[in-house]
């Protein structure tokens, strides 16, 4: 069996860091060379705050994720069950969760990962150029 260089690097990183972050609820970091730049994620967060209103997941096909905002390499999305009026988050709440992920997971000028709100919903930070 052959492993790609990325798989080997990820395994070594996990061993060195003491293991992956697998929260019950909260931040999980997934930072790599392909992750978006922190500054681009900060601009994406600002766009969400300015947008206001509700930021709902309206995608119930395949990925169950909706991209809510993007700026250059930075993108923020929501994944999980399709939202209705009772379950949707405000864009300010999404921006707050994304800020927590950024603050917790930023490394070497890049950031990636997600905030697990509950077993049905996650706020994700990802590279918009890899969509």
């Amino acid at each position: 069996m052959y492993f790609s260089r990325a798989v080997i690097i990820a395994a070594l990183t996990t061993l060195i860091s003491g293991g992956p972050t697998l929260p019950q609820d909260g931040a999980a970091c997934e930072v790599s060379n392909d992750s978006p730049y922190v500054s681009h994620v900060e601009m994406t967060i600002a766009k969400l705050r300015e947008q206001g209103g509700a930021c709902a997941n309206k995608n119930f096909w395949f990925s169950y994720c909706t991209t809510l905002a993007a700026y250059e390499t930075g993108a923020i999305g929501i994944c999980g069950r399709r939202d209705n009026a009772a379950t949707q988050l405000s864009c300010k709440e999404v921006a707050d969760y994304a800020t927590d992920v950024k603050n917790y997971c930023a490394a070497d000028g890049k950031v990636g990962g997600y905030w697990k709100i509950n077993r049905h919903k996650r706020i994700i930070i990802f590279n918009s150029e890899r969509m």
Side-chain angles (χ1 to χ4, degrees):
M1 181 181 298
Y2 295 95
F3 294 97
S4 71
R5 201 177 305 177
V7 170
I8 293 169
I9 291 170
L12 288 173
T13 301
T14 299
L15 286 173
I16 292 168
S17 68
T21 304
L22 298 172
Q24 199 63 8
D25 296 312
C29 302
E30 299 174 348
V31 183
S32 71
N33 287 335
D34 286 335
S35 295
Y37 292 103
V38 171
S39 61
H40 295 171
V41 171
E42 289 171 339
M43 291 299 292
T44 308
I45 291 169
K47 283 177 72 172
L48 274 177
R49 286 194 196 286
E50 289 173 15
Q51 184 176 313
C55 278
N57 184 6
K58 298 176 182 170
N59 181 2
F60 57 97
W61 298 102
F62 189 60
S63 71
Y64 296 95
C65 295
T66 298
T67 300
L68 301 172
Y71 175 83
E72 295 195 17
T73 63
I76 297 171
I78 188 167
C79 298
R81 289 187 176 166
R82 187 174 181 194
D83 282 322
N84 59 43
T87 62
Q88 65 191 7
L89 298 171
S90 71
C91 291
K92 182 198 176 308
E93 289 173 299
V94 172
D96 289 344
Y97 284 122
T99 299
D100 289 343
V101 173
K102 176 194 66 97
N103 291 340
Y104 185 74
C105 297
D108 298 322
K110 300 235 178 167
V111 64
Y114 61 88
W115 187 276
K116 183 178 176 186
I117 298 168
N118 58 45
R119 68 186 195 139
H120 302 294
K121 189 176 298 201
R122 294 177 183 195
I123 304 302
I124 61 171
I125 293 177
F126 61 99
N127 190 323
S128 65
E129 295 175 348
R130 305 284 186 255
M131 294 193 313

